[in-house]
Amino acid sequence: MSTANAPARPAPANGGPAANEEEGFTLRKLWSIAQQFLLMWLVMQLAGKFFGSKTPPSDSAVPSTTGVPGDIPQAQITNPLELPPKQATLAWPLGITLSMHVYLSTSSTGDVFSPSSKTGDSHLPNFVWENITFGDWNDIRTVDYMIDLPESVQHNASLWADVILVRDGASPDPYSASYHPKAVHHVRKLLTAYLPKLKVRKVKNLLSNEDGTEDEADEQPDIIASHWHPNLTLALVSDTQVVPTTQLPAPVAQHVHLLPERDQTGTQGFYMPIIFPNDFWHLRSQYIEINETTPSLPLQITFQPMSYWKFQIFATMIQGFNEAEKQQGGGSGGELDEVKRMLVETNPYFLALTGIVTLLHMVFEMLAFSSDVSHWRQKQELVGVSIVTNVVVQIIILLYLIDNNEQTSWMILMSSGVGVLIEAWKITKAVDIRLAPAPPGSMLPYKLDIRDKHVLSEDEKKTQEYDKLAFRYVTWVTIPCLAAYTVYSLLYETHRGWYSFVISTLTSFVYMFGFSVAHMPMKSMIYKSLSTVVDDLFAFCIKMPFLHRLACFRDDVVFVVFLYQRWIYRIDPKRVNEYGQVLASEVDAIETEKAKEGTESKKNK
């Protein structure tokens, strides 16, 4: 059996400067622990509120005090030993020397010392960590192996890690004479996780492969297969916590192993040291599917101490995330993985910035939508505003985001969906849409009757002619660009299918040329501008398709051009813009001011 021992650490020297440095280090460590506690508490509250299980825990998870076997009423029981203990304390004292034995086994019973297990799992590694001081917070150990998987495991069989913690030099082997059950604590961890296979987005060159068979893979039902994660973290809860056994939540209770012994009162029990296999930080993208092509896989086993409150938080969050994924049919796995990834890969300050950016993005988007709706409710002049074009543009972008839903956050989808609804509502400001009886001989009894609400004047018709002329000049540049990009994409790029090709091509064109702010109210424009600045950070923090991320920075360019134009071209309230719009209220104010000045000049004469 191999051993893995931690190297001894030199004791710190006492002195003036060294003591000050040690005191500063202690303060920084306490502040870091406080930050972690606050962060984990907030995440636990969110997980319990939005992702927590709505089903009550099983009666078998937590001991019940409402009755005992034999249907004897509790009031008639006088012996407290016949009731579950109200609380439990740690059975092993802190400061003792422990040894942790780790065995990899395919045994379903956990009897790793039986002759059959020793023969069948002889090629699997096992090791022991000696001289572990129970309660030493600085003792962290790591060992790496390359595991040669048995053939049965490559065909969906299970592989376990049997972790045995012993004290007082006892043997973990129950067949040994030095074995003592009160000095041995045995727990098991399943290393092979059974998860649905990832649905890979298959793409192809449409001209070289036109049979369309790749799309059929996305419609297949979920196939469960064994997966492997290259990390196993064994956390030993290393503080003396009094556990309320009758009030433990199910995720925590499954790791608390009570002993049959009681104290003299019979109300207080004892529990073995808590060994918690912490897989909270395992991301779905890190799991490797096990099959015949993976005969050997890496495994890093880490030992570390953990406080009881951290253990509670991690155990509860793991249960909450798992329940959320089950209730939503696995659809929330990507979003939950994104939350974990942000917690793992970002420091607390950037994480707080991400939360602020997300909040500001939602606030500015809602304010812009509200201002836009309020402006259009009072808008009477619709000259030059291409409502139908805006609807088509928003629908194309939404379809692109849905087609790339595995790369799109729900927040982006929600924002785009609300934009489509608002643009569709604007159509009702320009036209009347109602059901009318269909003409005789029609297949349907009713038809849609669409009528314009506004009749164009001669000036408006002339403006419309100039708009058509300008649009014609623009199309001389944009249409060749669209055609060239379409041919290039069709020849050299891969796509999921013809539908994805059309949507992605149209979206590229829309993101490049489909941006106009002349018809926006100023308040909505300001909110959109603030949202654009926020989106620069949002593009790096939130999951979204590549083209949508580029569009965030395109908005920056448009916003800078807009500010430059506002600076060099002062506002002339009499000037009619390209859409025939004029600031009527400012014009009236100027005319009134001129009339007052003329009256005063006449009086002076």
Side-chain angles (χ1 to χ4, degrees):
M1 180 182 296
S2 61
T3 60
N5 298 331
R9 295 177 175 81
N14 296 328
N20 293 335
E21 293 179 0
E22 183 177 356
E23 181 180 358
F25 174 76
T26 304
L27 293 176
R28 289 194 299 271
K29 186 174 181 180
L30 291 175
W31 173 243
S32 176
I33 293 175
Q35 285 181 319
Q36 293 180 12
F37 174 77
L38 178 60
L39 175 62
M40 297 304 297
W41 182 83
L42 290 174
V43 174
M44 184 180 66
Q45 295 298 318
L46 291 174
K49 184 175 181 62
F50 297 105
F51 307 124
S53 173
K54 296 181 175 58
T55 59
S58 173
D59 294 339
S60 60
V62 182
S64 173
T65 59
T66 58
V68 295
D71 296 330
I72 303 175
Q74 185 176 353
Q76 299 179 7
I77 298 177
T78 58
N79 187 1
L81 294 176
E82 299 183 20
L83 292 173
K86 296 181 179 179
Q87 58 185 14
T89 57
L90 188 61
W92 295 1
L94 297 180
I96 64 174
T97 301
L98 305 176
S99 297
M100 178 175 285
H101 301 253
V102 180
Y103 296 84
L104 269 61
S105 170
T106 58
S107 172
S108 59
T109 61
D111 189 3
V112 296
F113 297 100
S114 64
S116 60
S117 296
K118 289 182 178 180
T119 303
D121 300 331
S122 58
H123 66 287
L124 292 175
N126 59 81
F127 66 94
V128 57
W129 275 313
E130 300 280 3
N131 301 321
I132 297 176
T133 301
F134 192 20
D136 184 2
W137 297 95
N138 298 318
D139 194 354
I140 300 176
R141 309 186 186 191
T142 301
V143 64
D144 295 277
Y145 285 101
M146 181 61 70
I147 309 299
D148 293 327
L149 299 180
E151 187 176 353
S152 60
V153 176
Q154 299 177 32
H155 294 85
N156 285 343
S158 299
L159 183 64
W160 299 82
D162 288 273
V163 184
I164 305 175
L165 194 67
V166 300
R167 55 173 294 186
D168 302 331
S171 172
D173 187 356
Y175 302 99
S176 174
S178 60
Y179 174 81
H180 194 283
K182 292 185 179 180
V184 177
H185 180 38
H186 183 187
V187 298
R188 311 197 75 197
K189 170 61 178 175
L190 183 63
L191 296 180
T192 49
Y194 294 90
L195 305 170
K197 289 185 177 181
L198 290 177
K199 294 183 178 180
V200 181
R201 181 185 175 92
K202 296 185 178 181
V203 295
K204 59 185 177 180
N205 188 292
L206 299 178
L207 296 181
S208 61
N209 186 2
E210 299 181 350
D211 55 5
T213 56
E214 283 80 355
D215 289 340
E216 297 177 1
D218 295 337
E219 304 300 329
Q220 294 180 357
D222 291 338
I223 300 176
I224 305 299
S226 60
H227 289 72
W228 181 269
H229 196 280
N231 175 265
L232 171 62
T233 300
L234 301 174
L236 178 63
V237 178
S238 301
D239 51 7
T240 55
Q241 178 72 29
V242 178
V243 175
T245 56
T246 59
Q247 301 175 3
L248 288 178
V252 177
Q254 63 179 335
H255 298 285
V256 178
H257 299 270
L258 297 176
L259 295 175
E261 289 81 7
R262 306 285 184 89
D263 65 351
Q264 295 179 353
T265 63
T267 60
Q268 180 169 298
F270 302 93
Y271 66 93
M272 298 295 284
I274 300 174
I275 302 175
F276 174 55
N278 186 12
D279 54 4
F280 174 78
W281 301 112
H282 292 184
L283 303 181
R284 181 64 180 88
S285 58
Q286 297 172 347
Y287 280 90
I288 305 169
E289 183 181 345
I290 301 175
N291 49 43
E292 295 178 350
T293 63
T294 57
S296 299
L297 289 172
L299 179 63
Q300 182 184 80
I301 305 176
T302 302
F303 166 82
Q304 63 181 22
M306 178 179 287
S307 61
Y308 183 81
W309 66 266
K310 273 190 177 182
F311 154 67
Q312 282 185 304
I313 291 174
F314 280 121
T316 304
M317 291 177 63
I318 289 173
Q319 179 74 9
F321 277 48
N322 291 340
E323 289 295 329
E325 191 168 354
K326 290 179 182 178
Q327 291 174 8
Q328 301 181 23
S332 65
E335 296 291 342
L336 299 181
D337 246 22
E338 190 69 14
V339 173
K340 290 184 181 181
R341 184 189 64 79
M342 291 170 60
L343 293 174
V344 171
E345 299 178 1
T346 57
N347 59 53
Y349 300 104
F350 188 74
L351 190 62
L353 178 63
T354 302
I356 295 174
V357 166
T358 304
L359 180 62
L360 290 177
H361 176 86
M362 295 179 63
V363 169
F364 289 139
E365 283 288 333
M366 291 300 106
L367 289 176
F369 287 147
S370 176
S371 176
D372 200 17
V373 171
S374 176
H375 171 78
W376 276 82
R377 281 180 175 175
Q378 303 173 1
K379 191 174 181 65
Q380 301 297 330
E381 189 65 53
L382 303 176
V383 179
V385 181
S386 181
I387 305 175
V388 177
T389 302
N390 294 338
V391 175
V392 173
V393 166
Q394 291 292 334
I395 290 177
I396 290 175
I397 294 176
L398 179 61
L399 292 177
Y400 171 74
L401 295 176
I402 294 175
D403 188 54
N404 295 268
N405 59 346
E406 69 277 359
Q407 304 175 12
T408 308
S409 172
W410 62 269
M411 195 176 302
I412 302 296
L413 284 172
M414 182 182 66
S415 176
S416 181
V418 173
V420 170
L421 294 178
I422 291 178
E423 293 297 334
W425 168 78
K426 291 178 182 178
I427 295 180
T428 62
K429 297 291 295 182
V431 296
D432 285 324
I433 303 176
R434 62 185 183 88
L435 287 176
S442 178
M443 298 179 59
L444 299 176
Y446 295 96
K447 68 172 184 176
L448 285 178
D449 185 18
I450 302 176
R451 296 182 180 181
D452 291 332
K453 288 185 176 180
H454 180 72
V455 179
L456 297 181
S457 63
E458 292 299 325
D459 292 337
E460 292 170 346
K461 290 180 180 179
K462 189 176 296 185
T463 302
Q464 207 172 54
E465 292 178 3
Y466 289 127
D467 289 341
K468 291 180 180 179
L469 182 61
F471 184 75
R472 184 188 306 168
Y473 292 149
V474 172
T475 56
W476 289 354
V477 178
T478 57
I479 295 301
C481 291
L482 176 61
Y485 176 75
T486 302
V487 173
Y488 172 82
S489 178
L490 191 60
L491 292 176
Y492 299 105
E493 293 184 351
T494 57
H495 303 276
R496 188 178 183 181
W498 287 102
Y499 171 78
S500 295
F501 163 70
V502 172
I503 290 297
S504 61
T505 303
L506 291 177
T507 304
S508 302
F509 182 76
V510 165
Y511 279 145
M512 179 60 67
F513 301 106
F515 190 91
S516 175
V517 298
H519 62 281
M520 284 187 182
M522 183 53 61
K523 186 183 293 185
S524 179
M525 179 61 191
I526 292 174
Y527 291 141
K528 284 288 186 182
S529 302
L530 294 175
S531 181
T532 298
V533 176
V534 172
D535 280 348
D536 295 340
L537 291 174
F538 200 73
F540 292 104
C541 300
I542 303 300
K543 185 173 61 174
M544 63 182 70
F546 179 71
L547 288 179
H548 198 79
R549 182 174 282 112
L550 286 181
C552 295
F553 300 102
R554 175 214 62 182
D555 296 347
D556 292 338
V557 176
V558 175
F559 181 53
V560 171
V561 173
F562 168 76
L563 292 179
Y564 177 72
Q565 290 179 338
R566 293 278 295 183
W567 178 61
I568 62 174
Y569 300 117
R570 302 301 178 181
I571 297 177
D572 182 6
K574 292 184 177 181
R575 182 174 63 87
V576 179
N577 67 4
E578 68 272 26
Y579 291 147
Q581 299 170 340
V582 63
L583 298 176
S585 57
E586 283 79 356
V587 173
D588 294 340
I590 292 175
E591 295 296 337
T592 304
E593 186 67 25
K594 287 183 178 180
K596 289 182 179 180
E597 291 178 358
T599 304
E600 290 178 359
S601 60
K602 289 181 181 180
K603 288 182 179 180
N604 293 333
K605 291 180 180 179

